[in-house]
Amino acid sequence: MAPWGELLAGVRGVLLDISGVLYDSGAGGGMAIAGSVEAVARLKRSRLKVRFCTNESQKSRAELVGQLRRLGFDISEGEVTAPAPAACQILKERGLRPHLLIHDGVRSEFDQIDTSNPNCVVIADAGESFSYQNMNSAFQVLMELENPVLISLGKGRYYKETSGLMLDVGPYMKALEYACGIRAEVVGKPSPEFFKSALQAIGVEAHQAQAILPPQCPLIPQAPKE
């Protein structure tokens, strides 16, 4: 018990990643990582505030939460910080109309977004939709814009499914950056704004939080020293 107590000393909130921390995705709904269901239940019984963070961009939050609940997790949609809703807010605030290079499973998150006459590109983990044709279409949209805007839902290199490691959105984002000579705006991990929004949702400062993330994901940024 001592290591657990020492780890959480002075901590008021915990940010939990989902893929690779709580479960490994894959066919049939994926598989919960050993002990993760019990760990989440234990955290929720504690004094700590818990927020779930994900770069999942092949499923809507509702679908993801339903999948996790079937695996035994106590989780609701309102407890999840995900990049697609954050990206939609940015698009609305800035009057951006995206060309979407995304997975069909997350397309419903963009139902209220105007996609006519695109003036930006939004890229996510599109899975099998990362064809040459679709990547080239996104490239052409960006190259035709005077001030091209590329928004990426995360920039992960890979993730783990039950069948093995899978390429994530990052390599494709980097390809468009290189081809177009631009820098993508990342909405999701490891963007500091993503973590800040998760902390704001539970009313906790960065120095009061502990993040539990996959090995390939940078840790939550700490608050700057005065």
Side-chain angles (χ1 to χ4, degrees):
M1 294 296 292
W4 178 272
E6 292 172 7
L7 178 66
L8 298 180
V11 172
R12 293 184 52 225
V14 176
L15 302 185
L16 287 174
D17 205 329
I18 294 178
S19 180
V21 171
L22 301 186
Y23 90 121
D24 289 331
S25 58
M31 179 175 61
I33 293 172
S36 59
V37 172
E38 295 78 11
V40 168
R42 184 178 179 184
L43 282 170
K44 287 199 160 191
R45 290 195 302 267
S46 74
R47 60 177 175 78
L48 298 169
K49 297 181 179 180
V50 180
R51 188 75 180 175
F52 301 92
C53 301
T54 182
N55 269 3
E56 173 62 64
S57 57
Q58 288 197 355
K59 305 179 184 71
S60 66
R61 279 189 301 174
E63 183 181 354
L64 176 63
V65 166
Q67 181 176 333
L68 291 169
R69 291 182 67 86
R70 287 191 292 274
L71 292 174
F73 291 99
D74 176 15
I75 182 173
S76 66
E77 188 174 341
E79 295 175 300
V80 177
T81 295
C88 288
Q89 185 63 32
I90 290 171
L91 295 170
K92 291 176 181 178
E93 290 174 354
R94 293 166 56 181
L96 294 173
R97 303 178 305 278
H99 171 88
L100 297 173
L101 179 48
I102 61 176
H103 195 278
D104 286 343
V106 78
R107 199 168 292 275
S108 62
E109 298 274 17
F110 294 86
D111 281 348
Q112 304 304 312
I113 299 297
D114 181 7
T115 57
S116 62
N117 190 25
N119 58 3
C120 73
V121 167
V122 171
I123 185 173
D125 180 10
E128 297 296 328
S129 293
F130 277 134
S131 64
Y132 173 80
Q133 180 180 356
N134 289 342
M135 283 288 289
N136 199 52
S137 294
F139 163 75
Q140 289 172 335
V141 169
L142 290 168
M143 292 298 285
E144 290 171 0
L145 296 173
E146 182 176 353
N147 297 300
V149 175
L150 173 62
I151 296 175
S152 181
L153 305 193
K155 64 173 186 179
R157 294 176 295 163
Y158 59 86
Y159 56 92
K160 184 181 179 183
E161 288 197 347
T162 53
S163 59
L165 297 179
M166 311 293 286
L167 276 176
D168 205 343
V169 65
Y172 300 97
M173 177 199 82
K174 287 294 184 182
L176 289 175
E177 282 186 331
Y178 177 70
C180 301
I182 60 175
R183 181 68 61 87
E185 300 177 27
V186 178
V187 180
K189 301 174 296 178
S191 166
E193 294 302 321
F194 181 81
F195 290 113
K196 288 177 183 177
S197 67
L199 291 171
Q200 289 170 356
I202 57 176
V204 171
E205 299 293 332
H207 67 276
Q208 300 171 316
Q210 176 69 42
I212 302 176
L213 308 171
Q216 70 268 26
C217 183
L219 292 177
I220 182 171
Q222 297 299 305
K225 295 181 179 179
E226 297 296 335

